[in-house]
Amino acid sequence: MAVTLAEVAVRAGVSPATVSRVLNGGYPVAGATRTRVEQAVEDLGYIANGPARALAAATSDLIGVLVHDVADSFFGILAGALQGALAPSGQGDARRLAVVCNTEGDPAAELAYLALLEGQRAGGVVLTGGAVEEPEHTRALAARLARIAATGAPVVLCGRPPLPMPAGLPVATVMFDDRAGAFRLTEHLLALGHRRIAYVAGPPGLSTTRERLAGHRDALHDHDPALPERCAALTVHAGFERSAGYDATRELLRRGAPFTAVAAANDTVATGVAAALREAGLRIPEDVSVAGFDDLPVCVDTAPPLTTVRVPLREAGVLAAQLVTGRRALPPGGITMLPAELMVRGSTAPPPTATTASNCAPTPKSPCTPAVRGPTARPACEP
């Protein structure tokens, strides 16, 4: 038979109301009293009735965390830091349960999980990763989140742009400065002497893809207003997986337009890029420089170590946890922009002398023109 709250109160020598205050964590309770109650809970094996507590309050102690792909290191690091930061920070701070929902980037799944969290009276919601930029979905998402926030449950958008929401709701946005990070990365490649810079962008229609591609194009334009148009043929949209980077690079090689550097949408894609280049007989960085984005732990262990842009994932997770639990007040305007940092490593270097040209136009040759004019380049038409 389940232990009741009243039995815990008798064991601790306090009132049931005091036991409730200790368990809910929202009221000040003397240290010695708190200790007696916690010991009684431990001794008797008392388990609080979560649904009953949620009905008694406006919300529960459940925090919903929506990620695109829990197996992706980007989301794993972010969600792990967030969950770790949800642990009680001191007396009076309640313990919260983080529930990670894997949407696989599907807008319908995103809305479905939010409906479930709303039904469970979640005490807060954190949405991570790029947003699908489709007007109908944006409206539906904003409406759903507004209903959740109206109950007093904080909502945090982490790694995505703000949504059109009614004023006064507990909604915060934690953004990564993807555009500036991509700008610095391409600026770095230009400073090395690269002009034929291929770009493996993320999926179209995603906020992260738009921001990073815009930063890349901004840097090209600032160097030479004609470069973005000249390099347009060297841009390929792909997924965020390793295989996507591999397939996109094979497509670039097949097209035959020369390039001396490849900037990838993220580090995982960059590993696929590197694999395809090596398969084609090209050396990194002697023949082709390769760069990524995010600065995942694997970057320092690749051969050579990967030049990339550091996105502060752990810092973002901790900040999101503080905002969703109310431990940190909403910033002015509700938006926090976290900076991105260029991390220069061994995968980028000046281009080979034979390929330092000032434009990105393909050199007219036979169908088997080398994709990159490195000493070991294979013809672009080879598999």
PDB file of all heavy atoms in Angstrom, residues 167-207:
ATOM      1  N   ALA A 167       2.666  40.302 -25.670  1.00  0.00           N
ATOM      2  CA  ALA A 167       3.557  40.880 -24.665  1.00  0.00           C
ATOM      3  C   ALA A 167       3.165  40.403 -23.270  1.00  0.00           C
ATOM      4  O   ALA A 167       2.008  40.063 -23.009  1.00  0.00           O
ATOM      5  CB  ALA A 167       3.495  42.407 -24.737  1.00  0.00           C
ATOM      6  N   GLY A 168       4.137  40.362 -22.393  1.00  0.00           N
ATOM      7  CA  GLY A 168       3.875  40.033 -21.000  1.00  0.00           C
ATOM      8  C   GLY A 168       3.952  38.567 -20.647  1.00  0.00           C
ATOM      9  O   GLY A 168       3.836  38.210 -19.474  1.00  0.00           O
ATOM     10  N   LEU A 169       4.148  37.706 -21.620  1.00  0.00           N
ATOM     11  CA  LEU A 169       4.246  36.268 -21.341  1.00  0.00           C
ATOM     12  C   LEU A 169       5.688  35.904 -20.979  1.00  0.00           C
ATOM     13  O   LEU A 169       6.638  36.548 -21.450  1.00  0.00           O
ATOM     14  CB  LEU A 169       3.799  35.453 -22.555  1.00  0.00           C
ATOM     15  CG  LEU A 169       2.330  35.564 -22.955  1.00  0.00           C
ATOM     16  CD1 LEU A 169       2.069  34.743 -24.213  1.00  0.00           C
ATOM     17  CD2 LEU A 169       1.426  35.097 -21.816  1.00  0.00           C
ATOM     18  N   PRO A 170       5.894  34.854 -20.156  1.00  0.00           N
ATOM     19  CA  PRO A 170       7.250  34.437 -19.778  1.00  0.00           C
ATOM     20  C   PRO A 170       7.940  33.656 -20.895  1.00  0.00           C
ATOM     21  O   PRO A 170       8.098  32.427 -20.835  1.00  0.00           O
ATOM     22  CB  PRO A 170       7.014  33.568 -18.541  1.00  0.00           C
ATOM     23  CG  PRO A 170       5.646  32.978 -18.750  1.00  0.00           C
ATOM     24  CD  PRO A 170       4.856  34.055 -19.457  1.00  0.00           C
ATOM     25  N   VAL A 171       8.317  34.367 -21.948  1.00  0.00           N
ATOM     26  CA  VAL A 171       8.950  33.746 -23.112  1.00  0.00           C
ATOM     27  C   VAL A 171      10.325  34.385 -23.323  1.00  0.00           C
ATOM     28  O   VAL A 171      10.437  35.617 -23.389  1.00  0.00           O
ATOM     29  CB  VAL A 171       8.099  33.917 -24.379  1.00  0.00           C
ATOM     30  CG1 VAL A 171       8.803  33.282 -25.578  1.00  0.00           C
ATOM     31  CG2 VAL A 171       6.718  33.293 -24.183  1.00  0.00           C
ATOM     32  N   ALA A 172      11.357  33.568 -23.403  1.00  0.00           N
ATOM     33  CA  ALA A 172      12.724  34.057 -23.619  1.00  0.00           C
ATOM     34  C   ALA A 172      13.312  33.403 -24.857  1.00  0.00           C
ATOM     35  O   ALA A 172      12.957  32.269 -25.207  1.00  0.00           O
ATOM     36  CB  ALA A 172      13.591  33.764 -22.399  1.00  0.00           C
ATOM     37  N   THR A 173      14.220  34.105 -25.517  1.00  0.00           N
ATOM     38  CA  THR A 173      14.905  33.581 -26.697  1.00  0.00           C
ATOM     39  C   THR A 173      16.406  33.637 -26.467  1.00  0.00           C
ATOM     40  O   THR A 173      16.946  34.686 -26.104  1.00  0.00           O
ATOM     41  CB  THR A 173      14.551  34.402 -27.950  1.00  0.00           C
ATOM     42  OG1 THR A 173      13.132  34.359 -28.165  1.00  0.00           O
ATOM     43  CG2 THR A 173      15.250  33.846 -29.169  1.00  0.00           C
ATOM     44  N   VAL A 174      17.068  32.498 -26.656  1.00  0.00           N
ATOM     45  CA  VAL A 174      18.526  32.420 -26.580  1.00  0.00           C
ATOM     46  C   VAL A 174      19.021  32.095 -27.990  1.00  0.00           C
ATOM     47  O   VAL A 174      18.783  31.000 -28.497  1.00  0.00           O
ATOM     48  CB  VAL A 174      18.987  31.335 -25.593  1.00  0.00           C
ATOM     49  CG1 VAL A 174      20.515  31.250 -25.564  1.00  0.00           C
ATOM     50  CG2 VAL A 174      18.443  31.615 -24.197  1.00  0.00           C
ATOM     51  N   MET A 175      19.680  33.060 -28.623  1.00  0.00           N
ATOM     52  CA  MET A 175      20.101  32.894 -30.012  1.00  0.00           C
ATOM     53  C   MET A 175      21.609  32.739 -30.121  1.00  0.00           C
ATOM     54  O   MET A 175      22.361  33.305 -29.324  1.00  0.00           O
ATOM     55  CB  MET A 175      19.649  34.110 -30.839  1.00  0.00           C
ATOM     56  CG  MET A 175      18.156  34.324 -30.897  1.00  0.00           C
ATOM     57  SD  MET A 175      17.708  35.802 -31.854  1.00  0.00           S
ATOM     58  CE  MET A 175      18.232  35.305 -33.499  1.00  0.00           C
ATOM     59  N   PHE A 176      22.045  31.966 -31.121  1.00  0.00           N
ATOM     60  CA  PHE A 176      23.458  31.896 -31.477  1.00  0.00           C
ATOM     61  C   PHE A 176      23.710  32.883 -32.613  1.00  0.00           C
ATOM     62  O   PHE A 176      22.892  32.991 -33.534  1.00  0.00           O
ATOM     63  CB  PHE A 176      23.842  30.485 -31.939  1.00  0.00           C
ATOM     64  CG  PHE A 176      23.589  29.427 -30.902  1.00  0.00           C
ATOM     65  CD1 PHE A 176      22.841  28.297 -31.200  1.00  0.00           C
ATOM     66  CD2 PHE A 176      24.100  29.561 -29.619  1.00  0.00           C
ATOM     67  CE1 PHE A 176      22.612  27.321 -30.246  1.00  0.00           C
ATOM     68  CE2 PHE A 176      23.869  28.594 -28.654  1.00  0.00           C
ATOM     69  CZ  PHE A 176      23.131  27.470 -28.974  1.00  0.00           C
ATOM     70  N   ASP A 177      24.840  33.561 -32.573  1.00  0.00           N
ATOM     71  CA  ASP A 177      25.144  34.528 -33.634  1.00  0.00           C
ATOM     72  C   ASP A 177      25.719  33.800 -34.839  1.00  0.00           C
ATOM     73  O   ASP A 177      26.891  33.946 -35.209  1.00  0.00           O
ATOM     74  CB  ASP A 177      26.112  35.589 -33.112  1.00  0.00           C
ATOM     75  CG  ASP A 177      26.059  36.868 -33.950  1.00  0.00           C
ATOM     76  OD1 ASP A 177      25.395  36.844 -35.008  1.00  0.00           O
ATOM     77  OD2 ASP A 177      26.670  37.871 -33.542  1.00  0.00           O
ATOM     78  N   ASP A 178      24.870  32.980 -35.467  1.00  0.00           N
ATOM     79  CA  ASP A 178      25.296  32.159 -36.596  1.00  0.00           C
ATOM     80  C   ASP A 178      25.788  32.992 -37.772  1.00  0.00           C
ATOM     81  O   ASP A 178      26.759  32.634 -38.440  1.00  0.00           O
ATOM     82  CB  ASP A 178      24.136  31.266 -37.060  1.00  0.00           C
ATOM     83  CG  ASP A 178      23.860  30.118 -36.109  1.00  0.00           C
ATOM     84  OD1 ASP A 178      24.820  29.633 -35.488  1.00  0.00           O
ATOM     85  OD2 ASP A 178      22.691  29.721 -35.978  1.00  0.00           O
ATOM     86  N   ARG A 179      25.105  34.096 -38.022  1.00  0.00           N
ATOM     87  CA  ARG A 179      25.473  34.925 -39.180  1.00  0.00           C
ATOM     88  C   ARG A 179      26.879  35.492 -39.020  1.00  0.00           C
ATOM     89  O   ARG A 179      27.694  35.429 -39.948  1.00  0.00           O
ATOM     90  CB  ARG A 179      24.449  36.044 -39.360  1.00  0.00           C
ATOM     91  CG  ARG A 179      24.631  36.842 -40.646  1.00  0.00           C
ATOM     92  CD  ARG A 179      23.406  37.668 -40.952  1.00  0.00           C
ATOM     93  NE  ARG A 179      23.488  38.312 -42.257  1.00  0.00           N
ATOM     94  CZ  ARG A 179      22.428  38.727 -42.947  1.00  0.00           C
ATOM     95  NH1 ARG A 179      21.220  38.547 -42.454  1.00  0.00           N
ATOM     96  NH2 ARG A 179      22.583  39.297 -44.124  1.00  0.00           N
ATOM     97  N   ALA A 180      27.165  36.044 -37.837  1.00  0.00           N
ATOM     98  CA  ALA A 180      28.498  36.602 -37.602  1.00  0.00           C
ATOM     99  C   ALA A 180      29.555  35.504 -37.612  1.00  0.00           C
ATOM    100  O   ALA A 180      30.678  35.709 -38.108  1.00  0.00           O
ATOM    101  CB  ALA A 180      28.524  37.353 -36.279  1.00  0.00           C
ATOM    102  N   GLY A 181      29.219  34.333 -37.069  1.00  0.00           N
ATOM    103  CA  GLY A 181      30.174  33.230 -37.067  1.00  0.00           C
ATOM    104  C   GLY A 181      30.521  32.778 -38.471  1.00  0.00           C
ATOM    105  O   GLY A 181      31.697  32.552 -38.799  1.00  0.00           O
ATOM    106  N   ALA A 182      29.515  32.642 -39.326  1.00  0.00           N
ATOM    107  CA  ALA A 182      29.761  32.242 -40.719  1.00  0.00           C
ATOM    108  C   ALA A 182      30.549  33.319 -41.460  1.00  0.00           C
ATOM    109  O   ALA A 182      31.408  33.010 -42.301  1.00  0.00           O
ATOM    110  CB  ALA A 182      28.431  31.980 -41.420  1.00  0.00           C
ATOM    111  N   PHE A 183      30.268  34.571 -41.148  1.00  0.00           N
ATOM    112  CA  PHE A 183      31.009  35.684 -41.764  1.00  0.00           C
ATOM    113  C   PHE A 183      32.494  35.563 -41.429  1.00  0.00           C
ATOM    114  O   PHE A 183      33.350  35.657 -42.313  1.00  0.00           O
ATOM    115  CB  PHE A 183      30.451  37.018 -41.263  1.00  0.00           C
ATOM    116  CG  PHE A 183      31.101  38.230 -41.878  1.00  0.00           C
ATOM    117  CD1 PHE A 183      30.528  38.854 -42.971  1.00  0.00           C
ATOM    118  CD2 PHE A 183      32.293  38.736 -41.362  1.00  0.00           C
ATOM    119  CE1 PHE A 183      31.135  39.967 -43.546  1.00  0.00           C
ATOM    120  CE2 PHE A 183      32.906  39.839 -41.934  1.00  0.00           C
ATOM    121  CZ  PHE A 183      32.318  40.465 -43.026  1.00  0.00           C
ATOM    122  N   ARG A 184      32.810  35.328 -40.158  1.00  0.00           N
ATOM    123  CA  ARG A 184      34.212  35.251 -39.741  1.00  0.00           C
ATOM    124  C   ARG A 184      34.911  34.047 -40.371  1.00  0.00           C
ATOM    125  O   ARG A 184      36.097  34.113 -40.707  1.00  0.00           O
ATOM    126  CB  ARG A 184      34.309  35.172 -38.219  1.00  0.00           C
ATOM    127  CG  ARG A 184      33.831  36.435 -37.514  1.00  0.00           C
ATOM    128  CD  ARG A 184      34.138  36.395 -36.025  1.00  0.00           C
ATOM    129  NE  ARG A 184      33.478  37.503 -35.344  1.00  0.00           N
ATOM    130  CZ  ARG A 184      32.355  37.411 -34.663  1.00  0.00           C
ATOM    131  NH1 ARG A 184      31.757  36.236 -34.547  1.00  0.00           N
ATOM    132  NH2 ARG A 184      31.819  38.461 -34.079  1.00  0.00           N
ATOM    133  N   LEU A 185      34.170  32.952 -40.520  1.00  0.00           N
ATOM    134  CA  LEU A 185      34.768  31.756 -41.111  1.00  0.00           C
ATOM    135  C   LEU A 185      35.142  32.000 -42.576  1.00  0.00           C
ATOM    136  O   LEU A 185      36.265  31.702 -43.002  1.00  0.00           O
ATOM    137  CB  LEU A 185      33.795  30.579 -41.006  1.00  0.00           C
ATOM    138  CG  LEU A 185      34.294  29.249 -41.555  1.00  0.00           C
ATOM    139  CD1 LEU A 185      35.539  28.788 -40.820  1.00  0.00           C
ATOM    140  CD2 LEU A 185      33.201  28.195 -41.468  1.00  0.00           C
ATOM    141  N   THR A 186      34.223  32.554 -43.346  1.00  0.00           N
ATOM    142  CA  THR A 186      34.514  32.825 -44.758  1.00  0.00           C
ATOM    143  C   THR A 186      35.565  33.921 -44.890  1.00  0.00           C
ATOM    144  O   THR A 186      36.430  33.871 -45.778  1.00  0.00           O
ATOM    145  CB  THR A 186      33.224  33.222 -45.494  1.00  0.00           C
ATOM    146  OG1 THR A 186      32.295  32.130 -45.418  1.00  0.00           O
ATOM    147  CG2 THR A 186      33.491  33.553 -46.951  1.00  0.00           C
ATOM    148  N   GLU A 187      35.521  34.907 -44.002  1.00  0.00           N
ATOM    149  CA  GLU A 187      36.541  35.963 -43.981  1.00  0.00           C
ATOM    150  C   GLU A 187      37.920  35.354 -43.758  1.00  0.00           C
ATOM    151  O   GLU A 187      38.913  35.778 -44.379  1.00  0.00           O
ATOM    152  CB  GLU A 187      36.196  36.949 -42.868  1.00  0.00           C
ATOM    153  CG  GLU A 187      37.038  38.209 -42.844  1.00  0.00           C
ATOM    154  CD  GLU A 187      36.594  39.132 -41.723  1.00  0.00           C
ATOM    155  OE1 GLU A 187      36.469  38.663 -40.569  1.00  0.00           O
ATOM    156  OE2 GLU A 187      36.368  40.318 -42.003  1.00  0.00           O
ATOM    157  N   HIS A 188      38.001  34.356 -42.883  1.00  0.00           N
ATOM    158  CA  HIS A 188      39.260  33.646 -42.637  1.00  0.00           C
ATOM    159  C   HIS A 188      39.759  32.956 -43.909  1.00  0.00           C
ATOM    160  O   HIS A 188      40.956  33.053 -44.250  1.00  0.00           O
ATOM    161  CB  HIS A 188      39.043  32.623 -41.522  1.00  0.00           C
ATOM    162  CG  HIS A 188      40.096  31.561 -41.434  1.00  0.00           C
ATOM    163  ND1 HIS A 188      41.396  31.815 -41.056  1.00  0.00           N
ATOM    164  CD2 HIS A 188      40.037  30.216 -41.695  1.00  0.00           C
ATOM    165  CE1 HIS A 188      42.099  30.688 -41.074  1.00  0.00           C
ATOM    166  NE2 HIS A 188      41.299  29.711 -41.456  1.00  0.00           N
ATOM    167  N   LEU A 189      38.873  32.289 -44.626  1.00  0.00           N
ATOM    168  CA  LEU A 189      39.272  31.613 -45.869  1.00  0.00           C
ATOM    169  C   LEU A 189      39.713  32.617 -46.929  1.00  0.00           C
ATOM    170  O   LEU A 189      40.690  32.382 -47.657  1.00  0.00           O
ATOM    171  CB  LEU A 189      38.106  30.761 -46.386  1.00  0.00           C
ATOM    172  CG  LEU A 189      37.699  29.581 -45.498  1.00  0.00           C
ATOM    173  CD1 LEU A 189      36.426  28.927 -46.020  1.00  0.00           C
ATOM    174  CD2 LEU A 189      38.828  28.555 -45.396  1.00  0.00           C
ATOM    175  N   LEU A 190      39.016  33.731 -47.009  1.00  0.00           N
ATOM    176  CA  LEU A 190      39.401  34.781 -47.964  1.00  0.00           C
ATOM    177  C   LEU A 190      40.768  35.357 -47.614  1.00  0.00           C
ATOM    178  O   LEU A 190      41.590  35.619 -48.498  1.00  0.00           O
ATOM    179  CB  LEU A 190      38.348  35.888 -47.973  1.00  0.00           C
ATOM    180  CG  LEU A 190      36.993  35.521 -48.597  1.00  0.00           C
ATOM    181  CD1 LEU A 190      35.946  36.573 -48.238  1.00  0.00           C
ATOM    182  CD2 LEU A 190      37.113  35.398 -50.119  1.00  0.00           C
ATOM    183  N   ALA A 191      41.023  35.556 -46.335  1.00  0.00           N
ATOM    184  CA  ALA A 191      42.306  36.100 -45.897  1.00  0.00           C
ATOM    185  C   ALA A 191      43.455  35.154 -46.238  1.00  0.00           C
ATOM    186  O   ALA A 191      44.588  35.591 -46.476  1.00  0.00           O
ATOM    187  CB  ALA A 191      42.278  36.376 -44.400  1.00  0.00           C
ATOM    188  N   LEU A 192      43.188  33.856 -46.273  1.00  0.00           N
ATOM    189  CA  LEU A 192      44.203  32.880 -46.656  1.00  0.00           C
ATOM    190  C   LEU A 192      44.496  32.914 -48.151  1.00  0.00           C
ATOM    191  O   LEU A 192      45.508  32.356 -48.595  1.00  0.00           O
ATOM    192  CB  LEU A 192      43.752  31.474 -46.258  1.00  0.00           C
ATOM    193  CG  LEU A 192      43.747  31.141 -44.761  1.00  0.00           C
ATOM    194  CD1 LEU A 192      43.132  29.774 -44.521  1.00  0.00           C
ATOM    195  CD2 LEU A 192      45.157  31.195 -44.180  1.00  0.00           C
ATOM    196  N   GLY A 193      43.609  33.548 -48.920  1.00  0.00           N
ATOM    197  CA  GLY A 193      43.802  33.636 -50.366  1.00  0.00           C
ATOM    198  C   GLY A 193      42.799  32.854 -51.189  1.00  0.00           C
ATOM    199  O   GLY A 193      42.865  32.856 -52.420  1.00  0.00           O
ATOM    200  N   HIS A 194      41.830  32.196 -50.546  1.00  0.00           N
ATOM    201  CA  HIS A 194      40.827  31.417 -51.277  1.00  0.00           C
ATOM    202  C   HIS A 194      39.809  32.349 -51.935  1.00  0.00           C
ATOM    203  O   HIS A 194      39.354  33.325 -51.333  1.00  0.00           O
ATOM    204  CB  HIS A 194      40.100  30.457 -50.339  1.00  0.00           C
ATOM    205  CG  HIS A 194      40.984  29.399 -49.763  1.00  0.00           C
ATOM    206  ND1 HIS A 194      41.320  28.253 -50.449  1.00  0.00           N
ATOM    207  CD2 HIS A 194      41.626  29.321 -48.558  1.00  0.00           C
ATOM    208  CE1 HIS A 194      42.127  27.508 -49.702  1.00  0.00           C
ATOM    209  NE2 HIS A 194      42.324  28.137 -48.549  1.00  0.00           N
ATOM    210  N   ARG A 195      39.468  32.041 -53.166  1.00  0.00           N
ATOM    211  CA  ARG A 195      38.417  32.768 -53.871  1.00  0.00           C
ATOM    212  C   ARG A 195      37.365  31.802 -54.420  1.00  0.00           C
ATOM    213  O   ARG A 195      36.230  32.186 -54.664  1.00  0.00           O
ATOM    214  CB  ARG A 195      39.006  33.585 -55.036  1.00  0.00           C
ATOM    215  CG  ARG A 195      40.016  34.648 -54.600  1.00  0.00           C
ATOM    216  CD  ARG A 195      39.381  35.693 -53.691  1.00  0.00           C
ATOM    217  NE  ARG A 195      40.366  36.686 -53.261  1.00  0.00           N
ATOM    218  CZ  ARG A 195      41.066  36.608 -52.139  1.00  0.00           C
ATOM    219  NH1 ARG A 195      40.886  35.578 -51.320  1.00  0.00           N
ATOM    220  NH2 ARG A 195      41.949  37.519 -51.823  1.00  0.00           N
ATOM    221  N   ARG A 196      37.751  30.563 -54.605  1.00  0.00           N
ATOM    222  CA  ARG A 196      36.824  29.530 -55.071  1.00  0.00           C
ATOM    223  C   ARG A 196      36.395  28.712 -53.863  1.00  0.00           C
ATOM    224  O   ARG A 196      36.902  27.628 -53.593  1.00  0.00           O
ATOM    225  CB  ARG A 196      37.495  28.650 -56.120  1.00  0.00           C
ATOM    226  CG  ARG A 196      37.964  29.421 -57.353  1.00  0.00           C
ATOM    227  CD  ARG A 196      38.853  28.560 -58.222  1.00  0.00           C
ATOM    228  NE  ARG A 196      39.263  29.276 -59.433  1.00  0.00           N
ATOM    229  CZ  ARG A 196      40.129  28.805 -60.318  1.00  0.00           C
ATOM    230  NH1 ARG A 196      40.678  27.616 -60.115  1.00  0.00           N
ATOM    231  NH2 ARG A 196      40.447  29.506 -61.380  1.00  0.00           N
ATOM    232  N   ILE A 197      35.443  29.257 -53.121  1.00  0.00           N
ATOM    233  CA  ILE A 197      35.017  28.647 -51.858  1.00  0.00           C
ATOM    234  C   ILE A 197      33.672  27.960 -52.056  1.00  0.00           C
ATOM    235  O   ILE A 197      32.651  28.622 -52.294  1.00  0.00           O
ATOM    236  CB  ILE A 197      34.918  29.696 -50.743  1.00  0.00           C
ATOM    237  CG1 ILE A 197      36.260  30.430 -50.572  1.00  0.00           C
ATOM    238  CG2 ILE A 197      34.491  29.048 -49.427  1.00  0.00           C
ATOM    239  CD1 ILE A 197      36.193  31.606 -49.612  1.00  0.00           C
ATOM    240  N   ALA A 198      33.653  26.646 -51.954  1.00  0.00           N
ATOM    241  CA  ALA A 198      32.391  25.901 -52.020  1.00  0.00           C
ATOM    242  C   ALA A 198      31.721  25.962 -50.650  1.00  0.00           C
ATOM    243  O   ALA A 198      32.387  26.088 -49.621  1.00  0.00           O
ATOM    244  CB  ALA A 198      32.652  24.455 -52.428  1.00  0.00           C
ATOM    245  N   TYR A 199      30.395  25.851 -50.659  1.00  0.00           N
ATOM    246  CA  TYR A 199      29.656  25.927 -49.397  1.00  0.00           C
ATOM    247  C   TYR A 199      28.583  24.846 -49.391  1.00  0.00           C
ATOM    248  O   TYR A 199      27.711  24.812 -50.267  1.00  0.00           O
ATOM    249  CB  TYR A 199      29.010  27.302 -49.240  1.00  0.00           C
ATOM    250  CG  TYR A 199      28.440  27.543 -47.855  1.00  0.00           C
ATOM    251  CD1 TYR A 199      29.244  28.018 -46.834  1.00  0.00           C
ATOM    252  CD2 TYR A 199      27.112  27.262 -47.561  1.00  0.00           C
ATOM    253  CE1 TYR A 199      28.749  28.213 -45.555  1.00  0.00           C
ATOM    254  CE2 TYR A 199      26.600  27.454 -46.286  1.00  0.00           C
ATOM    255  CZ  TYR A 199      27.434  27.940 -45.287  1.00  0.00           C
ATOM    256  OH  TYR A 199      26.935  28.131 -44.026  1.00  0.00           O
ATOM    257  N   VAL A 200      28.663  23.941 -48.416  1.00  0.00           N
ATOM    258  CA  VAL A 200      27.643  22.908 -48.241  1.00  0.00           C
ATOM    259  C   VAL A 200      26.692  23.411 -47.167  1.00  0.00           C
ATOM    260  O   VAL A 200      26.968  23.319 -45.970  1.00  0.00           O
ATOM    261  CB  VAL A 200      28.260  21.556 -47.852  1.00  0.00           C
ATOM    262  CG1 VAL A 200      27.163  20.503 -47.694  1.00  0.00           C
ATOM    263  CG2 VAL A 200      29.276  21.113 -48.896  1.00  0.00           C
ATOM    264  N   ALA A 201      25.571  23.983 -47.596  1.00  0.00           N
ATOM    265  CA  ALA A 201      24.608  24.587 -46.684  1.00  0.00           C
ATOM    266  C   ALA A 201      23.670  23.520 -46.120  1.00  0.00           C
ATOM    267  O   ALA A 201      23.592  22.404 -46.629  1.00  0.00           O
ATOM    268  CB  ALA A 201      23.807  25.663 -47.407  1.00  0.00           C
ATOM    269  N   GLY A 202      22.954  23.887 -45.074  1.00  0.00           N
ATOM    270  CA  GLY A 202      21.969  22.987 -44.486  1.00  0.00           C
ATOM    271  C   GLY A 202      20.703  22.942 -45.316  1.00  0.00           C
ATOM    272  O   GLY A 202      20.622  23.527 -46.401  1.00  0.00           O
ATOM    273  N   PRO A 203      19.662  22.280 -44.814  1.00  0.00           N
ATOM    274  CA  PRO A 203      18.401  22.168 -45.560  1.00  0.00           C
ATOM    275  C   PRO A 203      17.761  23.547 -45.746  1.00  0.00           C
ATOM    276  O   PRO A 203      17.792  24.387 -44.837  1.00  0.00           O
ATOM    277  CB  PRO A 203      17.525  21.293 -44.648  1.00  0.00           C
ATOM    278  CG  PRO A 203      18.483  20.615 -43.716  1.00  0.00           C
ATOM    279  CD  PRO A 203      19.619  21.551 -43.529  1.00  0.00           C
ATOM    280  N   PRO A 204      17.187  23.812 -46.904  1.00  0.00           N
ATOM    281  CA  PRO A 204      16.490  25.095 -47.098  1.00  0.00           C
ATOM    282  C   PRO A 204      15.258  25.183 -46.205  1.00  0.00           C
ATOM    283  O   PRO A 204      14.704  24.168 -45.783  1.00  0.00           O
ATOM    284  CB  PRO A 204      16.106  25.058 -48.584  1.00  0.00           C
ATOM    285  CG  PRO A 204      16.094  23.612 -48.950  1.00  0.00           C
ATOM    286  CD  PRO A 204      17.122  22.957 -48.085  1.00  0.00           C
ATOM    287  N   GLY A 205      14.850  26.416 -45.900  1.00  0.00           N
ATOM    288  CA  GLY A 205      13.653  26.615 -45.098  1.00  0.00           C
ATOM    289  C   GLY A 205      13.874  26.503 -43.611  1.00  0.00           C
ATOM    290  O   GLY A 205      12.913  26.447 -42.840  1.00  0.00           O
ATOM    291  N   LEU A 206      15.143  26.483 -43.172  1.00  0.00           N
ATOM    292  CA  LEU A 206      15.473  26.379 -41.759  1.00  0.00           C
ATOM    293  C   LEU A 206      16.223  27.645 -41.343  1.00  0.00           C
ATOM    294  O   LEU A 206      17.100  28.121 -42.074  1.00  0.00           O
ATOM    295  CB  LEU A 206      16.338  25.144 -41.517  1.00  0.00           C
ATOM    296  CG  LEU A 206      16.385  24.559 -40.107  1.00  0.00           C
ATOM    297  CD1 LEU A 206      15.001  24.067 -39.680  1.00  0.00           C
ATOM    298  CD2 LEU A 206      17.390  23.415 -40.049  1.00  0.00           C
ATOM    299  N   SER A 207      15.904  28.179 -40.175  1.00  0.00           N
ATOM    300  CA  SER A 207      16.498  29.448 -39.750  1.00  0.00           C
ATOM    301  C   SER A 207      18.014  29.363 -39.647  1.00  0.00           C
ATOM    302  O   SER A 207      18.726  30.299 -40.025  1.00  0.00           O
ATOM    303  CB  SER A 207      15.909  29.889 -38.407  1.00  0.00           C
ATOM    304  OG  SER A 207      16.161  28.929 -37.391  1.00  0.00           O
TER     305      SER A 207
END
